[in-house]
């Protein structure tokens, strides 16, 4: 689990504000199914089914009727961590996406393979720990589109959607 201390002070403040908003009129310091239903309705969105709502507020404590602030913060810290990972990888791939739409990364496979397979992984002096070309090909399999001119393109956005939560 991602520690709460990985969040900035601004993120912690925003989480507190979000928690207070979701807790709503009940002010019972818990996010309950009822709080979520009201939030969805306020946003003009059809609330999830009762079973899905129960999963959303489930805790290890079976007697609890909702999430307290610490539980909510831990869940949100995990989700923010995933977002940061995806953003970091997206930004790294963007370097190779010449003229590609920022939301639809398409990269020349050979250029990316050369870059990925030429970088030394691990400690210097620990031997040749580069990504093999065969491993690279396996990692991108199913996400390569061959053009009529023989050029192969890596559909990076699709890969991110499939492998990075």
């Amino acid at each position: 689990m991602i520690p709460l201390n990985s969040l900035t002070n601004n993120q912690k403040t925003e989480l507190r504000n979000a928690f207070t908003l979701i807790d709503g009129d009940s002010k019972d310091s818990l996010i309950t199914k009822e709080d979520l239903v009201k939030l969805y309705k306020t946003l003009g969105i059809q609330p999830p089914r009762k079973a899905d709502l129960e999963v959303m507020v489930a805790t290890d404590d079976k007697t609890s009727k909702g999430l307290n602030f610490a539980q909510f913060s831990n869940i949100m810290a995990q989700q923010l961590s995933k977002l940061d990972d995806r953003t970091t990888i997206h930004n790294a791939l963007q370097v190779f996406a010449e003229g590609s739409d920022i939301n639809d990364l398409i990269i020349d496979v050979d250029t990316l393979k050369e870059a990925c397979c030429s970088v030394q992984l691990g400690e210097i002096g620990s031997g040749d720990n580069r990504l093999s070309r065969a491993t690279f090909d396996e990692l991108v399999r199913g996400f390569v589109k061959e053009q009529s001119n023989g050029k192969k393109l890596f559909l990076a956005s699709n890969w991110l959607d499939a492998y990075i939560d």
Side-chain angles (χ1 to χ4, degrees):
M1 183 170 291
I2 305 300
L4 289 178
N5 62 7
S6 68
L7 298 174
T8 66
N9 286 336
N10 188 43
Q11 288 173 319
K12 290 175 186 175
T13 299
E14 292 299 324
L15 285 177
R16 174 53 79 182
N17 292 340
F19 181 86
T20 302
L21 178 69
I22 297 168
D23 187 25
D25 296 333
S26 66
K27 304 278 189 251
D28 58 1
S29 298
L30 291 175
I31 294 178
T32 63
K33 291 183 288 191
E34 294 77 20
D35 292 330
L36 291 175
V37 167
K38 186 172 182 181
L39 175 67
Y40 275 96
K41 287 181 178 179
T42 299
L43 295 172
I45 301 171
Q46 177 68 35
R49 298 177 328 205
K50 183 178 178 182
D52 293 330
L53 288 168
E54 288 173 4
V55 169
M56 294 168 86
V57 297
T59 66
D60 293 335
D61 179 2
K62 301 302 179 197
T63 62
S64 177
K65 300 215 183 300
L67 297 173
N68 63 33
F69 179 67
Q71 293 162 327
F72 173 77
S73 296
N74 280 321
I75 291 168
M76 294 306 297
Q78 285 180 308
Q79 295 305 311
L80 289 170
S81 170
K82 290 177 186 178
L83 179 63
D84 289 344
D85 291 346
R86 183 181 175 90
T87 301
T88 299
I89 294 169
H90 182 276
N91 290 342
L93 289 170
Q94 182 68 36
V95 171
F96 297 98
E98 296 177 21
S100 186
D101 180 337
I102 194 163
N103 295 316
D104 190 22
L105 296 176
I106 300 173
I107 302 167
D108 178 73
V109 170
D110 293 330
T111 302
L112 185 61
K113 184 189 294 189
E114 184 60 35
C116 290
C117 297
S118 65
V119 174
Q120 174 69 26
L121 304 172
E123 296 291 323
I124 294 177
S126 64
D128 189 5
N129 295 312
R130 297 168 204 230
L131 179 66
S132 74
R133 293 181 182 285
T135 301
F136 176 88
D137 290 340
E138 181 64 31
L139 291 170
V140 300
R141 180 175 296 143
F143 299 96
V144 176
K145 175 181 169 184
E146 189 166 349
Q147 294 185 312
S148 59
N149 64 1
K151 186 175 182 176
K152 294 180 181 178
L153 300 175
F154 174 53
L155 306 174
S157 294
N158 295 2
W159 183 86
L160 278 167
D161 290 342
Y163 288 109
I164 308 299
D165 297 278

